[in-house]
Amino acid sequence: MFSPSTGPWLRSNGPCKSRVVLDMDHYVGQMGLNCISIALSDFYATHAYYKTRLLLTNRDSKKDVVGAAAAALDLLKNVEVQAIIGPFSSVQAKFMINLGDKAHVPIITFSATSPSLSSIRSPYFIRAALNDSSQVQAISAIIQAFGWREVVLIYMDNEFGEGIIPFLTDALEKVNARVPYRSVIPSSATDDQIVAELYKLMTMQTRVLNAHMMATLASRLFTIAKQLGMMSQEYAWIITDGITYELNSMDRSVIESMLGVIGVQPYIPNSQELENFTIRYQKKLQQNNPTALSLNLNIFGLWAYDSAIALAIAVEKARVINAAFLKANISRNSTDLEAFGVSSTGPELIRALSTTTFRGLFGKFKLVDGQLQSPPYQIVNVVGPGARVVGYWTKENGIVRELNFANTNTYSTSKSNIGSIIWPGDKTSPPKGWMIPTNGKKLRIGVPVNDAFSKFVRVAWNSDNSAEVEGYCIDVFDAVIEALPYGVPYEYIPFATSDHKSTGSYNDLVNQVYIGNFDAVVGDVTIIANRSQYVDFTLPFTESGVSMVVPIKDDKSKNAWVFLKQLSWELWLTSFCSFIFIGFLIWILEHRINEDFRGPPWHQAGMIFWFAFSTMVFAHKERVISNLARFVLIIWFLVVLILTQSYTASLTSMLTVQQLHPTITDVNELIKNNEYVGYQNGSFVFGLLKNMGFQESRLLAFNSPDELYELFSKGSRNGGIAAVIDEIPYMKLFLAKYCSKYTMVGPTYKTDGFGFVCDPPLPSFSAFISIKSCNTFSHAFCCCIYICMYIYNSQVFPIGSPLVPDISRAILEVTESKKMLTIEKTWLGDETKCPDSSTLISSSSIGLESFWGLFLMVGIAAVSAFIIYATKFLHENRHVMYCSDPHSTIWSKTLELLQRFNNRDLSSHTFKKTEQREGDNRSDCILRVIESSNEHFQLSPSSFPLTSPRTNGPPSPAFSSPKSQNVVFQVEQDSSLENKFKMPQGEAPQETIQEI
């Protein structure tokens, strides 16, 4: 920063002619000239070694485009200046830019901010200020933060006012906000013109107003708006930086009328140099001109100071010394616009300006495409004599509470990042931004008169013929409107005749909205395909679909075979096969080692069945010796336990609990049997049933739940119905009262449920709120709320209005909140008093799918045990398999293996104990002498040996009998020795028997 100092004015070093064209009657012009003068004095005081100097003179543009053009033409033609600082306004700059481009003379402005000047694309135009378009993103972020969907733009009808509008409109569209109206105020408008324009704004619904104009016109605008009551709590006013810059220069009365206004302005970093310059400027201005219009320094003065410094640096860079104009060939009939030449140093000077960078009072001075770049913006709130900063906006982070130049890569437009704001009317809550005008009409909302299901919409008539409307749909609509970010006044009007009867069908009611007799309709109106061509729908807020309700019968089984119904036939078959398989596997594992599993073939077959099925009740008494068999039985017992317990529980339920079954489960069954079917009178379901194939003569209409109950009570054979088909919300209300007798069955035909709808614009309408469709279905059912609105100036909101997402978001907000639960409990609470009839219907038989895991587990265990046993058996008898006898065949080997399997496994510990016990008994055997008969072997005396097998000496005398001619000795022993002594008939034993 350049410190103030004094020094010689070195004209001999080569002055560069530089002129200033400003409005000397405007305080900004005076401030700019003073700042430029101070800037050059400060700069050359610290840069005395510069070989160039700016020779500064001024011209007064006299607040006129022609005056500014004449001054510029004079400077270019007669003075041959090398640069021009000015003009003051964007309107004056447009022509001067073209002159500078023709003469190759840089035109440097510090106050012309209109974006339209950039479209001229002159290489000799330098904007040492911010483009007005750099603030539109900050304004749109504020609009988005508070959820406003419409903004009215108020601007001057000149270059300055109109230049920002295209950029601001585009920025608002990106945040889903639209501009329903543009209020253009002439720069020279009288108070009456301003009053007329403000009255027009008062008749509109939009209450968010964005003002962009010069401070002089803005002062008058807000003063009149205050008088008309437009600075109340309903309104939100936003001002651009063109007004915010000059808040400190406005009268106190004007500031008081602007209380609650929010605005934006560039962020100027604090610095010691800025504070020192501000103090010096005010002191010098007060000393030199005590009658100055204003002593306050604003951003235009800072830009003027920095632009003068930039030009001084560029002139030194370009070595502009005693530069001359190159004269063109000019004819005698040429005009003044053609009579000036071209600067020879213009290209070098503009190139030097474009690359000049330094730290100025405003911040870093750097030109990109001939203009300053956008800094962060402050969000200010007018709260007294000045403005208070309540937040910031940056390109990188959006709206933030405090500036943090570290880029967090998160863009936010949350209003929580904005500090507390005092809004118009001295309110702390933000305006909703939208409201029906006071001189406009309320919404005329028609409601159907239908006593069939009054919980959705109920109309109660008073003695004075007035009506009170209530119900589920009414409360939902009220809650949604309350959740909108703007106010919507409305009134309910029953669609009824003078005797309080319905005027017509639901189609007639919808047609009333179409022709404009009603602005809206709230009720249980069905959405069908042909209506969806004229209306759009919001998100649904109820359960959707069409279903069938039929009577239920008690099917409590009392027949003799009820016990077989508990398990499916697949489970019965699988269980039976599993029992046989487990019994056979246990017999295989125990046959060779367990006497309980041996014996005659039929005995063993019976043992397999007995043992297997006795495990079902754990009644088996046979010992199991094999560890493999024990392992399999452990798994099998678990399966049996679970299976029997499940069977017991299911059988108990069937024999004791009431079994309810629907009489009909399929719509096609109704059509096939030519049954009578009920439908609600006036419902679209009548057409649906005809399309499904029902005969019209078989369709009976009902007008109330009680009438529906009577039709069911008669029965289909006595003039009643066998089933009813209607929308699910109606059927649930019916079942809530008669849940013990009827149930909902069959497929559900999906629809869109209850929702809000609105028709498209018609010539008879002034305006409407359009609401997006929620996947229109040919047979959709909704609680339709047609929202159509009049406005004063015949403005029409087309389909795709920005209010569409507001309604949908409000529905989501209500349905996700506890408020929706309260509404449902209030109107549909009886539904919870009766259990769902579907829960009373018994489940089907237990199927195999519930136990396949258990069967798989026991199967794996059984197969594994069998493989282990077979492998061990084959290994022990491998000599049979690999026998080298050439006469041995596979069949003979197989038979031998089976024979070995059938024999006892004498190596088993069970038979080892048996043999030991038999050996002990064998020592106690006695010989018994009996007479020979046909039942014993006949042995001759000569066949006996001379000695007894048990002694070494002669036989004992005790065994002698002189009378016996043929005597045999029979050894009495256990059965295990039978085969050892059994001889073929006719053969005599060779030992153990002795003749005496």
Side-chain angles (χ1 to χ4, degrees), residues 721-838:
I721 59 175
V724 60
I725 298 179
D726 209 342
E727 291 99 346
I728 290 178
Y730 296 138
M731 293 297 92
K732 283 197 170 184
L733 287 179
F734 175 75
L735 292 177
K737 188 175 182 180
Y738 303 104
C739 60
S740 61
K741 298 182 179 181
Y742 307 98
T743 184
M744 188 180 301
V745 296
T748 299
Y749 302 93
K750 293 299 294 181
T751 63
D752 283 338
F754 289 1
F756 302 155
V757 307
C758 176
D759 60 60
L762 298 173
S764 61
F765 281 88
S766 297
F768 75 98
I769 297 179
S770 170
I771 305 173
K772 284 280 186 182
S773 173
C774 51
N775 299 325
T776 310
F777 188 75
S778 59
H779 301 294
F781 176 75
C782 291
C783 174
C784 309
I785 302 181
Y786 296 81
I787 307 175
C788 306
M789 301 183 178
Y790 287 104
I791 59 173
Y792 181 80
N793 62 345
S794 298
Q795 294 287 322
V796 177
F797 295 164
I799 291 180
S801 167
L803 297 175
V804 171
D806 288 347
I807 298 293
S808 296
R809 273 190 289 270
I811 292 175
L812 291 176
E813 182 179 345
V814 172
T815 54
E816 294 176 0
S817 65
K818 295 181 179 180
K819 196 167 190 177
M820 191 66 174
L821 297 177
T822 303
I823 296 174
E824 291 179 350
K825 185 176 181 180
T826 301
W827 295 104
L828 309 177
D830 293 340
E831 187 175 331
T832 60
K833 295 181 180 179
C834 187
D836 189 355
S837 58
S838 61

Side-chain angles (χ1 to χ4, degrees), residues 512-781:
Q512 296 301 310
V513 179
Y514 183 82
I515 64 179
N517 292 336
F518 284 141
D519 299 325
V521 169
V522 176
D524 50 339
V525 181
T526 304
I527 302 171
I528 55 180
N530 60 343
R531 295 177 188 171
S532 65
Q533 299 176 5
Y534 306 97
V535 295
D536 290 338
F537 309 106
T538 62
L539 297 173
F541 58 88
T542 64
E543 183 179 359
S544 61
V546 175
S547 190
M548 178 173 65
V549 171
V550 298
I552 52 180
K553 60 181 179 179
D554 186 2
D555 192 24
K556 188 175 182 180
S557 301
K558 301 179 178 64
N559 59 75
W561 303 103
V562 63
F563 65 91
L564 295 177
K565 297 182 179 181
Q566 305 314 304
L567 305 182
S568 64
W569 69 268
E570 296 94 344
L571 186 55
W572 277 117
L573 181 60
T574 304
S575 300
F576 179 79
C577 294
S578 298
F579 277 106
I580 300 301
F581 173 70
I582 293 299
F584 183 70
L585 177 64
I586 298 301
W587 175 82
I588 291 176
L589 299 177
E590 295 288 322
H591 176 66
R592 302 184 68 230
I593 62 175
N594 194 338
E595 285 294 342
D596 292 338
F597 291 86
R598 299 188 61 82
W602 286 110
H603 172 77
Q604 297 184 50
M607 177 57 66
I608 291 175
F609 281 88
W610 159 253
F611 182 84
F613 287 97
S614 64
T615 58
M616 182 169 57
V617 291
F618 305 101
H620 58 286
K621 297 181 179 180
E622 292 76 15
R623 291 190 311 142
V624 177
I625 299 174
S626 172
N627 287 331
L628 289 176
R630 292 171 178 173
F631 167 72
V632 173
L633 286 179
I634 290 175
I635 306 299
W636 175 246
F637 289 157
L638 175 63
V639 175
V640 170
L641 177 63
I642 295 176
L643 191 62
T644 54
Q645 293 298 325
S646 300
Y647 175 84
T648 303
S650 180
L651 181 61
T652 303
S653 175
M654 175 171 286
L655 295 176
T656 58
V657 179
Q658 184 183 26
Q659 307 300 315
L660 301 178
H661 293 278
T663 56
I664 299 173
T665 59
D666 190 3
V667 175
N668 295 325
E669 186 178 350
L670 294 172
I671 301 175
K672 181 180 179 180
N673 298 334
N674 204 21
E675 298 283 1
Y676 285 95
V677 176
Y679 69 94
Q680 186 179 175
N681 191 17
S683 172
F684 76 96
V685 176
F686 177 76
L688 174 62
L689 295 177
K690 292 179 62 178
N691 293 335
M692 293 172 62
F694 286 94
Q695 298 181 8
E696 186 173 350
S697 60
R698 294 289 174 175
L699 300 179
L700 301 180
F702 64 90
N703 295 310
S704 66
D706 294 336
E707 186 175 341
L708 174 60
Y709 178 71
E710 293 178 2
L711 290 176
F712 268 127
S713 301
K714 292 180 180 179
S716 59
R717 305 305 177 190
N718 300 317
I721 59 175
V724 60
I725 298 179
D726 209 342
E727 291 99 346
I728 290 178
Y730 296 138
M731 293 297 92
K732 283 197 170 184
L733 287 179
F734 175 75
L735 292 177
K737 188 175 182 180
Y738 303 104
C739 60
S740 61
K741 298 182 179 181
Y742 307 98
T743 184
M744 188 180 301
V745 296
T748 299
Y749 302 93
K750 293 299 294 181
T751 63
D752 283 338
F754 289 1
F756 302 155
V757 307
C758 176
D759 60 60
L762 298 173
S764 61
F765 281 88
S766 297
F768 75 98
I769 297 179
S770 170
I771 305 173
K772 284 280 186 182
S773 173
C774 51
N775 299 325
T776 310
F777 188 75
S778 59
H779 301 294
F781 176 75

Side-chain angles (χ1 to χ4, degrees), residues 468-485:
E468 295 182 1
V469 182
E470 58 183 0
Y472 174 75
C473 293
I474 301 299
D475 285 358
V476 172
F477 176 74
D478 293 340
V480 169
I481 294 300
E482 184 180 350
L484 290 175

